[in-house]
Structures are given as C-alpha cells and as structure tokens.
C-alpha cells in the first residue's frame, strides 16, 4: 500500500479523498492555488504545496506543477478527484513516465472513452445499445440539416469533447438546426477548445440512470448497481438517488451486464461510470462513460456500504477486488442534493463572496437515518469566481425512499448559510414536489415544472398554519424571556390570549393557551387547537420542535418586529399583532415593480458577444436582439413582442452586471 498520496484537486472532493486515505493510514498531500491558500482541503492535508495562481489553467490544470509537487513531497500516487485532470490521458501518461501511480484507469481507457463520438463507436462494437444517430463529425449547417432529417426530429447536437452538460443543443425542427449548431459549436470551442459536434436522436422525457463499475488489474469487473440522476437543470445534475425507482430487476441486470461488458472491452481499471438514458418503455441507451470518480458517488456508497475511494486506492496499489457481484445488494435508499452558491430566484446566477455563516446539519446516524455532508468550505471561507460554485453535497440515507426524502427535507431545513446566495430553497422545493414523491421523473422535470424559472414555493394552507404556529411559539418565548424575572417571582397565571399572526400581509387570528411543561395549545383561524413545544431559545437560527406530535425544523431570523421563518423552501415574514393591527396589515399598499417593458436588461452578469439589431430597427417577436455569454454558455436574448430599437447602450466585448441596460425601445 502507498505511504503518501497527492490529491490533484480542491474543494469537497479533495477533502473526501483525504478522509479515506487517512483512515487507511496514508499520508496526504494537498495542492492549492493562491486563491485556495486557506481552503479546507489545505488544512486537512498532512502537507500542502502551492502550485500557482488562482486560474485553474495555471494551477490545478498544470501537469508540470503537480508532477513537481509529487517530487518534492515523495508522493507515490495521485488521486485526481473529478473535473480538472481526472480525465486527462496525457496527465496519466506523464505520471506513469515519472514512476508515479495514477489512481484511476489506464490512459488508453481514458482516451477511448474521452471523446463522445469515439466512445459511442466503441460501445457499439462492444454490443452496448447506443442512442440512434450519426457517428461522424458534422461539417456545416447543410450536412446538419440532412443528417437531422435522416435521424428524425427532435435531435440533439452535441460536442464530441463535451462534459458537464456543456456544448449541447436540442433542435426540434429544421428551423432550429442552424442556431443550435452554432451555439453548440461556439460553446464547445470556448469550454473545450474543440468544436467538433455530432448529432443523435433526442430521446423525449428520458431518465438518466447510470451504472457504477469497479475493475481491478486482475481481470475482475463488477458493477455497484445504479444511480438515477434525472433531476437536472440544463443537462447538469442537481439531485441524485440510488437505487432508481424506475428500474425493474430485469432492466437493472441488463444495464449492469452491458456496463461490465463495456468496462472489459476498454480494459478498464478503477472506478468508472457508464451513463445511460432510459426511455418511457425502459429501453436504455449508452450516453458516455465517465472514467473517474463521479460527483454523486456518495449515494452508491450509502446503499452498498462500499467506500469507492478505498477501492480505487486498493486497485491502484494492485490489490485484487475482494467483493463478489452477488454480494452487492442495495440497502435502503440514498439521496444527494448539490448545494450551490447560486441564486435560484435570479436564473441561478452564481454568487460569490464570504460565507459569513455556515452551519450544515450535523452528520449523524440515528434511528436508521444517515445524514452525510461532503463539503470543502467552512464558516468564513471565500467562494471565489475561479472555481465551481458547489458548496456541499448533502446526502441522506434511510430504509425507504419516502424516509430518505423526509430526512432530506429536514436536513435542508436545518442547513443555514449567509453571505452568499444559495439554492437550498430550490432543493427543498424539488424534494417537496409531489412528482418527486411519486417518482415520476424525467430529465425534463425542472424545465416542465419551473418553465419560467424558480419563483419560490407556493403557499399552502397547511404550511401557512405551521408557519403561524412557529411564529406564535417564537414570539411567546421571546416575551416570556423578556419578562423572565417577573415570571419567576410570581408565576404567571394560565395564559389564554387572542392574537393575530401576520404572514406577510395575511392575518391569521390565533387563540393561545398555556398547556404547561413548556407546551402551548394554539388554535389557528378557528381550527382545533394544536400542541406546540420547542426547546428554542431567542437568538438561535434553528427552531426545532413538535407540532401536533410531529417533529418540525425551521430556520428563524429576527429582523426588528418581523421574524423571518424558512421551511420547505419558503420564507415568510411573520409578525405577532393585536387583532386590530392584524386587520390593517392586509390593506397596506404594495410597491409597484418598475416598468421594464421598454428596455432589454442583461439577465445575468455576462459578456456581450454580439448585438443583432441597429438603432431605429423594428424587430419582430422572437427575433434575436443580442447574444450574451455567461458561465461559458451563450444565450440569445430575443424580443418578447414587436419593438422598435431606440438606443443601444452596450457594445460587443463589454462585461455587464445583472440588470444593466443593453438597449432601449421606443
Ligand atoms: P458527474 O457526471 O460526476 O455528475 P458533473 O459533470 O456534474 O459530474 O460535474 C463534474 C464537474 O465538476 C467537472 O466537470 C468540473 O466542472 C466540476 N469540478 C471539478 N472539480 C471540482 C471541485 N473540486 N469541486 C467542485 N466541482 C468541481
Ligand atoms: P455530459 O458529458 O455533458 O455529461 P452527456 O452525454 O452525459 O453529457 O449528457 C448529459 C445530459 O444531457 C444527460 O444526462 C441527458 O439529460 C441529456 N442528454 C444527452 N443526450 C441526450 C439525448 N440524446 N436525448 C435526450 N437527452 C440527452
Ligand atoms: Mg454525462
């Protein structure tokens, strides 16, 4: 076994790998850029080496600097994590040449699977079912149109070098082919420096289900069942689970067998993932093989009890697999939610800044429920613009899918962070969605359920009552503490009071009774009284209590006379009022939003790529006005109605802040 390994990555995955290495008694070396000098992975490692400035191209992607770091620290092996150099065959070869072990597959397997066109050809030959399409590079729009016509619409135009959901566009009709080709290409060029694209059939409403494989250097190959990753936004995974609610034994076994066959055919070693899309009739098609540890590997670890990083290290050290296929059994259900520094209310704009407050739910294993949180940050850490905006991967595991979902909803409710915008409300909305509960998923889920973006979770009567009960309990506890001295001297008589709790502008009359032992009986809006008890103290961010016999978690923040309560993806501003004031709350005027119909605003911070119109021009609805690049995606901004361009305020090449005016209309 190795004595020292170097982790050529940052963030949560570097920390994750170190955890296992440490458990195996292996010394760990971190590498870091200047921006990561104080990062968690640096702190966790036994030794750390600075490898260059913040941009990844000059640090985490520098093969030379990482080799040098291995030399000075005597690292015998390198774990690449995911992203960065993890699927870079030249890196694996360079390590090999330097006599250092790459904790991953052979370079030849990375190469064979690294290119989508090549890997599809390879899979096809290995007897794996692939998405129908054309296995060649598309030369121009004319050829694209011809091939799309042959395949039949809708089609997907895809970058051969693609990854991370980038460089792919759907064309539903010939009209969309030229635009789609151009966008897929230019995105591929800017993200991967390679603009080759191909075309395949777009499978309607598919599910993304992938098979985890493990292979050693002795010819043993097995699979560790499936993960379902159908909850995606722009082809990027947001929530994953294992097992999949959709697979039957027969399909599972068939997919597993094909994944193993493909791994054998490429001479695979280490952990890898074979991704499939599965249509409504459970026909499955190979998408690609990821020759690395996958972001969502924790759900597999939770249901199989197998530490994938440990297996990768043992395999790299030459040990044979000791697990047998028939021993791999799923136990319970696991869910992972990716917590990102992005604002769900503003089209998921990445958010950067200091995490002034960071308290994830406690990792624990209790009553059959496990909570795991893989993270690379800490309170006070900086989320920089240089890297991926992922903050943490929150996972829960329980005996059933329902119980794992409940645990996830609670864990998200107990996750508090400030200083940056984050997607926790959106994650809460997703796991609280009836379609998630029913397991009626597809990769189109988010686009279908949130067609105009995320506007927050809609109010429901039941949820409102829960908010009212929490607000009442908080207010009464605060009042009691303020009057603490007096209470102790002369115990207050039984409390029985009429109040009003306003949630925003809506008043809820309540009747509160003190039931003793710190329990209140609260009747909302004339309904039957409900018992509310909590150990909450003023100032605490998390309110944990029992309402009508059920455990309830919520986040609370005091803002003057208002208490802000967050739960299940919704935040309400609550106030305790006397009844007459409560009636007034609903007649307070609301501020009208500004009129933005006469301007084109930049919907995200981005770079103006081009302006498609001239001043004085009349533009039809749907016509392109400008193209803005943000997060390596090109976005065409179109006219929503017929407009006449009055003035153009932005120039190509200009970087704009969100809501900057690009042009004005008459
Ligand atoms: P998967 O197929 O494993 O789910 P994704 O494509 O969703 O992977 O995400 C992998 C991407 O994560 C990489 O392509 C890269 O952009 C990004 N990434 C790389 N390194 C890190 C890191 N240390 N922390 C967070 N994200 C990273
Ligand atoms: P990446 O390398 O970016 O992960 P993939 O080929 O794995 O690219 O595709 C990512 C996601 O895009 C899939 O999970 C799926 O949701 C969607 N997708 C890709 N190809 C197709 C297709 N032919 N039909 C329908 N959806 C697809
Ligand atoms: Mg993929």
């Amino acid at each position: 076994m190795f004595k020292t390994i170097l982790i050529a990555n940052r963030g949560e995955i570097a920390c994750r790998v170190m955890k296992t290495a440490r458990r195996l008694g292996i010394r760990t070396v971190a590498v870091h850029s200047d921006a990561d000098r104080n990062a968690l992975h640096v702190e966790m490692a036994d030794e750390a080496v600075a490898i260059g400035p913040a941009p990844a191209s000059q640090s985490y992607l520098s093969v030379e600097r990482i080799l040098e770091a291995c030399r000075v620290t005597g690292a015998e092996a390198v774990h690449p994590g995911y992203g960065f150099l993890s699927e870079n065959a030249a890196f694996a070869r360079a390590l090999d040449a330097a006599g250092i072990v790459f904790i991953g597959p052979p370079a030849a397997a990375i190469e064979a699977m690294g290119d989508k066109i090549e890997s599809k050809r390879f899979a096809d030959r290995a007897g794996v079912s692939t998405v129908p399409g054309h296995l060649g590079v598309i030369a121009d729009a004319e050829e694209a149109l011809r091939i799309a016509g042959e395949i039949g619409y809708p089609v997907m135009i895809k970058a051969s070098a693609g990854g991370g959901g980038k460089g792919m566009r759907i064309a539903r009709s010939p009209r969309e082919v030229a635009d789609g080709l151009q966008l897929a290409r230019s995105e591929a060029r800017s993200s991967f420096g390679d603009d080759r694209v191909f075309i395949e059939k777009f499978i309607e409403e598919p599910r993304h289900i992938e098979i985890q494989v493990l292979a050693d250097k002795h010819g043993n190959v097995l699979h560790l069942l499936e993960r379902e990753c159908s909850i995606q936004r722009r082809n990027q995974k947001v929530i994953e689970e294992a097992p999949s609610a959709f697979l039957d034994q027969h399909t599972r076994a068939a997919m597993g067998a094909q994944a193993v066959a493909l791994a054998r055919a490429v001479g695979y070693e280490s952990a890898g993932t074979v991704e499939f899309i599965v249509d409504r009739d459970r026909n499955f098609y190979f998408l690609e093989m990821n020759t690395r540890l996958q972001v969502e590997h924790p759900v597999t670890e939770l249901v199989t009890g197998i530490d994938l990083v440990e297996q990768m290290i043992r395999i790299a050290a030459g040990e044979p697999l000791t697990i047998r296929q028939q021993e791999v059994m799923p136990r319970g259900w696991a869910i992972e939610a990716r917590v990102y520094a992005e604002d769900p209310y503003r089209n998921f704009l990445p958010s950067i800044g200091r995490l002034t407050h960071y308290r994830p739910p406690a990792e624990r294993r209790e009553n059959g429920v496990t909570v795991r949180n893989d993270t690379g940050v800490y309170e006070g850490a900086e989320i920089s613009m240089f890297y991926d905006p992922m903050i943490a991967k929150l996972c829960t595991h329980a005996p059933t899918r329902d119980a794992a979902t409940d645990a996830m909803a609670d864990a998200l409710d107990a996750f508090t962070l400030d200083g940056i915008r984050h997607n926790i409300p959106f994650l809460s909305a997703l796991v609280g969605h009836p379609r998630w509960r029913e397991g009626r998923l597809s990769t189109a889920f988010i686009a279908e359920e949130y067609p105009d973006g995320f506007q927050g979770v809609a109010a429901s009567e039941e949820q409102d009552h829960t908010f009212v009960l929490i607000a009442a309990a908080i207010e009464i506890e605060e009042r009691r503490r303020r009057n603490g001295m007096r209470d102790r001297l002369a115990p207050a008589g039984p409390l029985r009071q009429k109040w009003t709790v306003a949630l925003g502008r809506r008043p809820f009359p309540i009747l509160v009774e003190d039931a003793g032992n710190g329990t209140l009986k609260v009747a909302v809006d004339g309904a039957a009284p409900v018992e509310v008890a909590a150990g909450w103290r003023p100032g605490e961010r998390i309110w944990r209590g029992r309402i009508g016999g059920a455990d309830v978690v919520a986040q609370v923040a005091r803002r003057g006379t208002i208490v802000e309560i967050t739960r299940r993806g919704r935040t309400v501003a609550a106030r305790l009022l006397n009844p007459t004031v409560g009636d007034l709350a609903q007649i307070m005027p609301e501020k009208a939003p500004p009129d933005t119909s006469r301007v084109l605003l930049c919907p995200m911070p981005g770079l103006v790529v081009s302006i498609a119109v001239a001043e004085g021009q009349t533009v039809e609805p749907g016509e392109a006005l400008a193209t803005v690049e943000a997060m390596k995606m090109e976005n065409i901004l179109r006219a929503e109605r017929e407009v006449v361009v009055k003035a153009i305020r932005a120039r190509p090449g200009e970087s704009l802040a969100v809501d900057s005016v690009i042009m004005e209309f008459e």
Side-chain angles (χ1 to χ4, degrees):
M1 184 45 69
F2 309 115
K3 286 196 184 65
T4 303
I5 66 172
L6 181 144
I7 295 92
N9 213 307
R10 63 179 302 281
E12 67 86 13
I13 197 62
C15 298
R16 156 75 195 90
V17 172
M18 285 185 217
K19 245 180 218 168
T20 291
R22 179 165 296 174
R23 186 170 56 73
L24 298 177
I26 301 170
R27 205 174 131 253
T28 56
V29 178
V31 291
H32 67 88
S33 70
D34 293 345
D36 278 339
R37 205 173 297 124
N38 300 315
L40 189 60
H41 76 282
V42 172
E43 195 164 307
M44 265 186 77
D46 294 309
E47 195 175 339
V49 182
I51 51 165
S57 59
Q58 297 167 54
S59 49
Y60 297 105
L61 287 170
S62 166
V63 174
E64 255 326 295
R65 302 246 167 126
I66 290 169
L67 278 175
E68 181 55 28
C70 289
R71 258 176 242 128
V72 299
T73 58
E76 307 147 80
V78 171
H79 196 299
Y82 54 74
F84 298 133
L85 294 170
S86 62
E87 294 180 280
N88 186 315
F91 178 55
R93 290 223 161 84
L95 286 175
D96 197 42
I100 298 160
V101 177
F102 178 64
I103 304 176
I110 300 178
E111 257 156 11
M113 293 292 116
D115 184 86
K116 286 198 205 296
I117 295 177
E118 289 310 316
S119 71
K120 252 184 101 168
R121 285 199 181 122
F122 195 99
D124 209 32
R125 286 198 301 273
V128 174
S129 42
T130 56
V131 184
H134 176 76
L135 285 176
V137 181
I138 300 296
D140 51 28
E142 203 178 311
E143 189 186 9
L145 272 172
R146 182 172 54 75
I147 286 167
E150 281 165 22
I151 296 170
Y153 292 91
V155 297
M156 189 130 190
I157 305 164
K158 247 175 156 173
S160 197
K166 295 200 174 81
M168 57 177 90
R169 283 293 187 282
I170 304 167
R172 296 196 171 271
S173 68
R175 265 192 49 226
E176 295 176 0
V177 170
D179 259 9
L181 181 70
Q182 187 228 313
L183 287 171
R185 263 204 180 142
S186 79
E187 211 170 281
R189 201 179 310 121
S190 66
S191 302
F192 315 112
D194 173 349
D195 67 358
R196 288 171 307 126
V197 298
F198 66 107
I199 301 187
E200 64 185 20
K201 180 91 189 152
F202 177 71
I203 309 291
E204 297 272 12
E205 305 210 345
R207 302 178 69 128
H208 174 119
I209 301 177
E210 56 188 33
I211 305 284
Q212 175 71 54
V213 297
L214 272 183
D216 65 14
K217 295 181 191 290
H218 308 276
N220 302 304
V221 185
L222 54 87
H223 72 84
L224 302 185
L225 310 163
E226 80 279 8
R227 291 184 286 261
E228 173 152 6
C229 319
S230 296
I231 305 289
Q232 303 184 350
R233 203 179 66 80
R234 291 180 158 184
N235 304 313
Q236 293 197 55
K237 299 159 185 170
V238 181
I239 293 186
E240 302 97 344
E241 61 182 314
S244 159
F246 189 59
L247 288 196
D248 50 42
Q249 256 332 318
H250 171 76
T251 316
R252 176 174 292 125
M255 289 172 72
Q258 287 203 3
V260 167
L262 180 62
R264 270 191 204 290
V266 286
Y268 204 78
E269 288 163 16
S270 193
T273 296
V274 182
E275 296 189 329
F276 293 95
I277 42 179
V278 183
D279 73 12
R280 275 168 261 189
D281 306 317
R282 292 196 181 79
N283 297 308
F284 58 88
Y285 306 96
F286 169 77
L287 268 183
E288 63 164 345
M289 180 168 190
N290 290 327
T291 54
R292 55 170 161 90
L293 184 66
Q294 202 96 333
V295 173
E296 59 275 18
H297 75 278
V299 293
T300 297
E301 297 187 324
L302 288 164
V303 295
T304 61
I306 296 167
D307 180 329
L308 280 163
V309 173
E310 175 181 345
Q311 294 302 320
M312 291 177 84
I313 294 173
R314 291 194 184 284
I315 290 167
E319 292 183 19
L321 281 168
T322 55
I323 309 157
R324 301 280 158 263
Q325 186 68 64
Q326 58 272 21
E327 297 163 10
V328 180
M329 293 289 176
R331 266 182 306 267
W333 213 281
I335 302 171
E336 172 182 280
R338 300 189 188 188
V339 179
Y340 281 107
E342 58 185 22
D343 186 348
Y345 302 109
R346 301 198 84 174
N347 200 25
F348 300 90
L349 282 177
S351 172
I352 54 174
R354 190 172 293 284
L355 271 177
T356 54
H357 171 99
Y358 173 78
R359 300 287 157 86
E363 292 194 304
R364 61 182 178 274
R365 210 170 150 177
E366 196 171 89
N367 305 326
V369 174
T370 304
V371 176
R372 167 174 168 177
N373 186 52
D374 285 25
T375 191
V377 302
Y378 53 87
E379 192 165 286
E382 191 85 37
I383 305 286
S384 83
M385 58 178 286
F386 295 105
Y387 314 110
D388 198 278
M390 195 163 72
I391 299 170
K393 302 184 316 200
L394 180 62
C395 300
T396 57
H397 178 255
T400 62
R401 189 170 186 273
D402 270 338
T405 299
D406 289 340
M408 179 58 78
D410 284 346
L412 288 167
D413 282 343
F415 203 134
T416 57
L417 35 120
D418 289 331
I420 47 128
R421 303 307 223 141
H422 57 78
N423 68 339
I424 290 177
F426 183 58
L427 296 172
S428 294
L430 292 172
V431 297
H433 199 289
R435 263 183 75 181
W436 167 270
R437 280 277 174 190
E438 294 157 28
R440 261 192 314 118
L441 309 180
S442 88
T443 57
F445 177 88
I446 289 177
E448 280 168 9
E449 299 300 326
Y450 306 93
D452 306 314
F454 178 60
Q455 263 96 39
V457 176
S460 77
E461 202 66 16
E462 193 198 329
Q463 287 283 349
D464 276 353
H465 281 202
T466 305
F467 281 122
V468 169
L469 294 169
I470 296 170
I474 286 172
E475 290 273 5
I476 288 164
E477 184 59 27
E478 285 181 343
R479 284 172 194 224
R480 188 177 279 158
R481 299 239 164 204
R482 278 202 295 274
N483 304 332
M485 275 316 271
R486 210 171 52 214
D487 277 3
R488 231 174 290 150
L489 291 174
L495 163 97
R496 191 183 152 83
Q497 295 219 36
K498 272 189 185 157
W499 264 313
T500 295
V501 172
L503 294 187
R505 285 156 20 91
R506 185 166 166 207
F508 290 83
I510 58 170
L511 181 66
V512 183
E513 250 181 279
D514 192 343
N517 289 331
T519 302
L520 299 172
K521 267 190 178 168
V522 187
V524 183
D525 231 350
V530 178
E531 289 202 347
V532 184
W536 180 84
R537 287 151 203 266
E540 285 178 353
R541 285 285 299 265
I542 301 286
W543 188 91
R544 271 176 212 286
R546 289 179 74 75
I547 295 184
D551 290 326
V552 173
V553 186
Q555 298 184 18
V556 299
R558 174 53 82 192
R559 312 225 185 277
T561 58
I562 284 170
V563 54
E564 236 174 50
I565 309 174
T566 302
R567 186 176 140 72
R568 302 304 192 237
R570 227 179 117 213
T571 298
V572 298
R575 264 181 311 164
L576 190 67
L577 308 164
N578 69 46
T580 29
V581 181
D583 292 339
L584 293 177
Q586 58 188 328
I587 51 171
M588 300 239 267
E590 223 172 339
K591 217 171 92 194
D595 179 13
T596 53
S597 60
R598 293 185 177 280
V599 285
L600 174 69
L601 298 180
C602 191
M604 63 209 95
L607 181 80
V608 179
V609 177
S610 58
I611 302 282
V613 293
E615 288 181 1
Q617 190 178 331
T618 304
V619 186
E620 301 283 310
E623 259 189 77
L625 295 168
T627 304
V628 173
E629 187 195 295
M631 296 169 273
K632 300 199 174 117
M633 292 267 282
E634 287 195 0
N635 306 274
I636 301 183
L637 308 179
R638 296 176 184 281
E640 284 172 13
R641 57 193 173 85
E642 189 185 292
V643 291
V644 178
V645 180
K646 185 168 139 198
I648 293 177
R649 297 274 175 233
R651 262 187 308 254
E654 200 175 325
S655 289
L656 296 185
V658 63
D659 287 348
S660 304
V661 176
I662 298 176
M663 62 185 74
E664 291 170 20
F665 308 125
E666 305 253 309

